[in-house]
């Protein structure tokens, strides 16, 4: 099971671009990289998933270098409502999930 | 379309009592998962149902926990008797495709969780 490492917390201001990097040095060849977002008192919510290079959807972009040992979630022009915990997940061991501690993003006005 | 719903949202019980948590997955989702976060620690897997069958229950902490999914629709998670260390937030998730929430194409939809406090 690929272990992930993320910053514990990050602060930002409204309107800024936020980049959260996740390290996963032991990622396996067939592992995808997935990011979930969790607001207080809610369950995690899927944001984006990718395998390599760049993936973009209406919420975020995901940048994955060629060696796939890290990935960066990019949130364009964050707002106060983007304050949440962001989890980076890589692969899985059967149906088990270890979400990790995640990155607590705090967006200030 | 309704998302994954969990009931109750909060439960406070005394040590030794029994509590039953309920999860209603998204209609048509055969795969249902239970997770929990205990005492501010990481979210950990408990078990996985495919329809009414337990696919993997290796994350269940001990035999005080019993999960069922009769008829392959909603699921219940019973804790009997509850202990102080069972306090935490219990999440349920469902997906159309089987697999890990980080597997390709397997988007897991989570409920809001049930906060269980054992006193």
């Amino acid at each position: 099971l690929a272990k992930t490492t993320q910053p514990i917390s990050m602060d930002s201001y409204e309107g800024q671009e936020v980049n959260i990097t996740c390290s996963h040095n032991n990622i396996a060849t067939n592992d995808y990289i997935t990011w979930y977002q969790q607001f207080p008192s809610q369950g995690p919510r899927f944001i984006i998933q990718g395998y390599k290079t760049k993936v973009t959807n209406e919420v975020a972009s995901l940048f994955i270098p060629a060696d796939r040992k890290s990935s960066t979630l990019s949130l364009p022009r964050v707002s106060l409502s983007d304050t949440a915990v962001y989890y980076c997940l890589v692969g899985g061991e059967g149906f088990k999930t270890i979400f990790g501690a995640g990155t607590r993003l705090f967006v200030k006005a | 379309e309704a998302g994954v719903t969990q009931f109750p949202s909060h439960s406070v019980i005394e040590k030794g009592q029994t509590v039953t948590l309920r999860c209603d997955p998204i209609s048509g989702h055969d795969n249902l998962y239970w997770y929990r976060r205990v005492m501010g620690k990481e979210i950990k897997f408990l078990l996985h149902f495919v329809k009414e069958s337990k696919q993997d229950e290796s994350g269940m902490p001990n035999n005080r926990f019993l999960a069922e999914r009769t008829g392959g629709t909603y699921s219940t998670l019973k804790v009997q008797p509850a202990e102080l260390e069972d306090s935490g937030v219990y999440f349920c998730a469902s997906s159309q495709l089987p697999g890990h929430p980080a597997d390709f194409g397997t988007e897991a939809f989570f409920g809001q969780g049930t906060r269980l406090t054992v006193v």
Side-chain angles (χ1 to χ4, degrees), chain A residues 3-108:
Chain A
K3 179 179 173 63
T4 60
T5 303
Q6 308 174 230
I8 294 175
S9 64
M10 295 180 68
D11 288 344
S12 182
Y13 288 93
E14 282 190 292
Q16 289 188 331
E17 177 185 79
V18 171
N19 296 307
I20 305 174
T21 297
C22 177
S23 298
H24 27 79
N25 292 316
N26 299 320
I27 188 169
T29 302
N30 58 348
D31 284 341
Y32 278 74
I33 301 157
T34 309
W35 286 78
Y36 279 77
Q37 172 192 56
Q38 185 178 23
F39 296 114
S41 302
Q42 293 187 27
R45 183 175 73 106
F46 175 93
I47 302 177
I48 196 167
Q49 183 179 75
Y51 184 80
K52 62 180 179 181
T53 62
K54 176 184 175 182
V55 178
T56 298
N57 61 24
E58 65 278 6
V59 177
S61 293
L62 179 60
F63 298 92
I64 305 167
D67 65 6
R68 304 198 330 118
K69 293 184 182 299
S70 67
S71 59
T72 299
L73 175 73
S74 181
L75 304 172
R77 297 182 298 281
V78 294
S79 63
L80 296 177
S81 61
D82 292 318
T83 294
V85 178
Y86 293 82
Y87 297 98
C88 167
L89 280 70
V90 174
E93 190 175 84
F95 298 97
K96 301 173 186 175
T97 300
I98 295 179
F99 274 78
T103 297
R104 188 173 298 276
L105 173 65
F106 186 67
V107 180
K108 304 177 222 181

Side-chain angles (χ1 to χ4, degrees), chain B:
Chain B
E1 177 183 348
V4 177
T5 56
Q6 294 185 242
F7 181 82
S9 56
H10 295 83
S11 180
V12 181
I13 62 172
E14 293 184 349
K15 176 182 174 182
Q17 288 187 323
T18 297
V19 63
T20 300
L21 314 180
R22 172 169 170 148
C23 168
D24 286 76
I26 292 174
S27 178
H29 283 192
D30 289 339
N31 298 276
L32 186 150
Y33 314 83
W34 283 98
Y35 299 85
R36 74 171 181 175
R37 173 187 282 135
V38 176
M39 297 299 288
K41 294 185 178 178
E42 300 174 359
I43 299 174
K44 292 294 178 72
F45 166 87
L46 294 179
L47 88 159
H48 169 221
F49 281 100
V50 178
K51 297 185 179 180
E52 67 275 10
S53 300
K54 292 176 185 176
Q55 183 73 27
D56 183 351
E57 54 182 327
S58 59
M60 295 288 264
N62 51 61
N63 58 12
R64 295 186 293 104
F65 290 75
L66 175 64
E68 295 180 323
R69 192 183 182 195
T70 306
T73 54
Y74 70 90
S75 174
T76 57
L77 179 64
K78 179 189 290 186
V79 185
Q80 178 183 29
E83 298 290 343
L84 299 179
E85 63 266 24
D86 299 332
S87 295
V89 181
Y90 290 76
F91 293 103
C92 173
S94 72
S95 65
Q96 277 191 318
L97 298 176
H100 187 281
D103 287 345
F104 172 68
T106 304
E107 179 178 346
F109 296 84
F110 284 76
Q112 83 284 3
T114 293
R115 182 172 296 278
L116 174 65
T117 303
V118 182
V119 298

